[in-house]
Structures are given as structure tokens and as C-alpha cells.
Amino acid sequence: MTEFWLISAPGEKTCQQTWEQMMVATTRNNILSTNNKFNIPDLKVGTLDVLVGLSDDLAKLDSFTEGVVKKVAHYMADVLEDSRDKVQENLLANGVDLVTYITRFQWDMAKYPIKQSLKNISEIISKQLSQIDNDLKARASSYNNLKGNLQNLERKNAGSLQTRSLADIVKKEDFVLDSEYLVTMLVVVPKTSYADWQKTYETLSEMVVPRSTNLLFEDNDCGLFSVTLFQKAIDDFRHKARENKFTVRDFQYNEQEMNADKEQMTRLSTDKKKQFGPLVRWLKVNFSEAFIAWIHIKALRVFVESVLRYGLPVNFLAMLLQPNKKNMKKLREVLNDLYKHLDSSAAAIIDSAMDIPGLNLSQQEYYPYVYYKIDCNLLDFK
């Protein structure tokens, strides 16, 4: 279960008392959640007007940042070709797994100095995330183009004999070259028609060289045969072959063109390998940066919302709950009982919602305590 509930409640006589009350309520009869204190430093409060505006701005920044975190994670999965173990082991924050980072969260004073105003801190994060988002678009576009071109070439070199490139199948000695009169054609014959081919190919047109056919290559369904004939008979031969369900491939042996194709494939393959390592490193570093920024935004939101709800002086405790999946409904009820005195209007909404089956409040989740969800399941692996 990688869902966390980040909540806050006002300090009773002390914040430790708030903590103990919550621990007793959620673990006394049944362990409803695994709990940690969530340390938020003494941030600058500013004016009420600024806090109200910031509350909206942070909500938007939160969803934008979550989007960037998920995009980087999904692109990591694309680049690592969806090998799930490798993806998860690369999705770290500050070198540790995400659950460890969240449960041991420490504010990063160097990146987000707490002497700055809350607005400035949110602007630092916003700029940082926009930069990561733009860089990701540019890097993904470059790598995807390379990968796409390589896949197109690989597709040309795979597939059925009817359509695939023949450059890596045929050799120079399979062809009559530099002849004024003769030409070698390549014909795709279904395996079930090999006997027919051998019986009829010499008579498909007048000027076919007797006993000139050779089987050059086979796949599961067909074989590729060469046959030599006079150039003036090409059109007639092609027409008769089609009537007999043999496919003449348009192919002229050109060593330079074939080598150019092979070189392009080698070059693209080398370029992809060259870009792969630095790209994975960039994704690891920037996933970590984006995820860390996201959790700092959650901390900012809890701080701002707690001051707006519980008032000044600042006196609240932020707590991180990892719900036991089977007991999520029960945990919600216990928390509502514990904190309903904080906001009677929220308690009334919740009580009425519990009476009306099918009413979904998740669109505007509002509880008597401050609440934000953090979902670490960033990859929807099927």
C-alpha cells in the first residue's frame, strides 16, 4: 500500500499530546495505520491575504508537480522498455526509496531557504518544475525520433518476405551483374507451391534461363528464389508469375545503397546506445528532484492550510499516516470522531454523506482536520 494521508491537528496543551491522542485512536483496538510525525520547519507566515491566495496557487502547483513526477516516471519505464524491477529501483528520492523518503521527511534548507517568504519558496519550486518539464519534452523528443527511425529500419529488416528488406539476405554471387542481356529476378514463393515453382518457372515466359533458380532464404511461410532471364522478358515474366501466385520483388542489387542502409542502422543503433546512459541518469536525477519538490509542496500546503484553519500563533502537528488498506473506511471514521470538534460544518457534511449511499465526496474532500493524500504508486503497471 503506497498511499499516505498527510494530516494536521492543532497542538493540545503540547504537540506531543496531539500525537499521543492520534496514536491511541488509530492503534488501540486495531492497527488502522502506520504513523510518523511529519517535520515542517518554522516557516514565515506572512499576511492572511497572502496565505489565502497562496492556498489556491499551491493547489495548482501541487497537481502540476504531480503530473511532472508521473511523466518522468512513465518515461523512465518507456526508456527501460517497461522492465518493472529496473524502473522501480531507479525511482528514488535523495538516494532512498519513496516510502523511506516520505516517512523520514526533512525539509531541504539549502534548496528552499526558510528565511524566504512562502510565496518565494513556491516560486522557486514552480521555476524548477517548469525547467524539468521543458527539458523532459526536448530530451524525449530527440530520443523518441532516434528510437522511431531505428524501429522503422528494424521493421524493414523483419516481417514477411513479401515486404521486408532483402539487403541482408542476398549476396553478390546470387546475381548475374553487368550483363547487357541477362537479369536476375527475386521471387517469393509460398512453401506449399515449391513443387509448382520448380515445374513451371522455366515456362512462365519465353526467355528464362533453364535450371537458373536457387532457393536463397526461407521464413515460416515462403521462400525467396532467384531466377535468371533475358531483360526483354521481365514484364511478361512478372505478369505470368502473378497469375501463378508467385510474387516478384522489385530489387536491384546495388552494393552502395545496401551498405548505406546497413551503415544507417549501425549509426542509429550506436547513437541510441550513446544517448541511453545519459538519458537514464538525467531521468533518475530529475525524478528525484521533482519528487522532493512535490513533497515540499505538500508540506507547504499543510502549513498554509493549518494556519488558515487553526489560527495564530502557529501551533499544530503534521502527521503522516499510511493506512492499512482493509481499514481505510474505519480509519476515516476514527479520525472524524477524534477531530470533529475542530469544525462542526465539516462534521455535518461527513455525517450526512455517510447517510446517503453513493454520494461521492472525493471531488472536494473536506474533513474537520487538514488532509492531503500522497499516492506513491506513480506507474500504472497492468
Side-chain angles (χ1 to χ4, degrees), residues 203-315:
T203 57
L204 287 176
S205 137
E206 280 189 335
M207 297 181 168
V208 177
V209 176
R211 285 183 297 191
S212 64
T213 193
N214 285 303
L215 176 61
L216 306 182
F217 184 85
E218 288 183 296
D219 64 15
N220 292 337
D221 306 309
C222 299
L224 183 72
F225 286 84
S226 61
V227 59
T228 303
L229 53 141
F230 279 77
Q231 289 184 13
K232 58 169 76 168
I234 287 176
D235 288 343
D236 188 37
F237 181 84
R238 194 189 293 276
H239 178 68
K240 295 281 179 21
R242 194 181 305 124
E243 283 179 356
N244 284 273
K245 301 203 165 45
F246 307 137
T247 308
V248 176
R249 286 289 308 264
D250 277 324
F251 184 84
Q252 288 196 322
Y253 187 87
N254 181 324
E255 210 151 353
Q256 281 174 316
E257 272 179 29
M258 284 158 62
N259 285 340
D261 272 4
K262 281 179 194 163
E263 279 164 19
Q264 189 189 6
M265 184 114 171
T266 308
R267 193 179 67 248
L268 288 173
S269 186
T270 307
D271 285 356
K272 187 184 168 199
K273 279 182 193 138
K274 263 192 208 155
Q275 281 195 25
F276 177 81
L279 179 60
V280 171
R281 279 195 294 281
W282 184 90
L283 289 166
K284 278 174 75 163
V285 167
N286 286 277
F287 174 81
S288 175
E289 291 291 311
F291 189 84
I292 289 167
W294 186 38
I295 304 307
H296 280 74
I297 292 167
K298 296 288 187 191
L300 285 175
R301 292 190 77 188
V302 169
F303 183 85
V304 168
E305 199 61 30
S306 299
V307 173
L308 287 172
R309 289 231 211 154
Y310 309 142
L312 291 169
V314 175
N315 178 26

Side-chain angles (χ1 to χ4, degrees), residues 34-162:
T34 308
N35 308 323
N36 290 275
K37 288 180 182 172
F38 189 84
N39 298 311
I40 300 176
D42 295 332
L43 298 166
K44 282 190 163 182
V45 175
T47 66
L48 192 62
D49 283 356
V50 169
L51 288 182
V52 170
L54 200 54
S55 178
D56 286 344
D57 293 347
L58 285 171
K60 289 175 193 147
L61 185 56
D62 187 347
S63 70
F64 171 67
T65 305
E66 182 178 359
V68 174
V69 168
K70 284 183 171 169
K71 269 194 268 186
V72 177
H74 279 143
Y75 196 60
M76 176 86 81
D78 278 356
V79 170
L80 294 174
E81 316 287 341
D82 287 337
S83 165
R84 186 173 184 170
D85 304 339
K86 284 186 193 156
V87 178
Q88 294 294 8
E89 72 194 34
N90 281 292
L91 297 181
L92 304 175
N94 250 357
V96 296
D97 66 86
L98 307 185
V99 170
T100 303
Y101 177 77
I102 293 173
T103 51
R104 297 184 192 163
F105 174 75
Q106 292 293 328
W107 186 273
D108 189 328
M109 302 286 181
K111 274 198 191 104
Y112 312 116
I114 58 171
K115 289 193 169 68
Q116 302 252 10
S117 69
L118 296 175
K119 192 159 181 55
N120 281 3
I121 295 172
S122 79
E123 280 167 4
I124 291 170
I125 295 175
S126 180
K127 276 186 195 145
Q128 182 194 6
L129 267 293
S130 296
Q131 184 67 53
I132 291 174
D133 193 39
N134 291 333
D135 284 358
L136 177 65
K137 282 176 192 152
R139 283 165 190 269
S141 168
S142 161
Y143 189 74
N144 290 351
N145 280 342
L146 193 56
K147 197 168 150 187
N149 291 338
L150 187 59
Q151 279 169 344
N152 287 341
L153 272 183
E154 282 167 350
R155 220 171 278 129
K156 269 172 69 180
N157 288 332
S160 78
L161 279 171
Q162 306 276 0

Side-chain angles (χ1 to χ4, degrees), residues 168-215:
D168 60 333
I169 290 174
V170 298
K171 302 184 192 70
K172 191 173 184 177
E173 53 268 29
D174 297 328
F175 294 83
V176 173
L177 298 170
D178 308 322
S179 164
E180 211 176 318
Y181 303 109
L182 295 174
V183 65
T184 301
M185 308 281 285
L186 298 178
V187 184
V188 179
V189 178
K191 280 188 172 173
T192 51
S193 305
Y194 280 9
D196 288 348
W197 168 255
Q198 293 291 356
K199 263 195 307 218
T200 60
Y201 81 92
E202 291 177 358
T203 57
L204 287 176
S205 137
E206 280 189 335
M207 297 181 168
V208 177
V209 176
R211 285 183 297 191
S212 64
T213 193
N214 285 303
L215 176 61

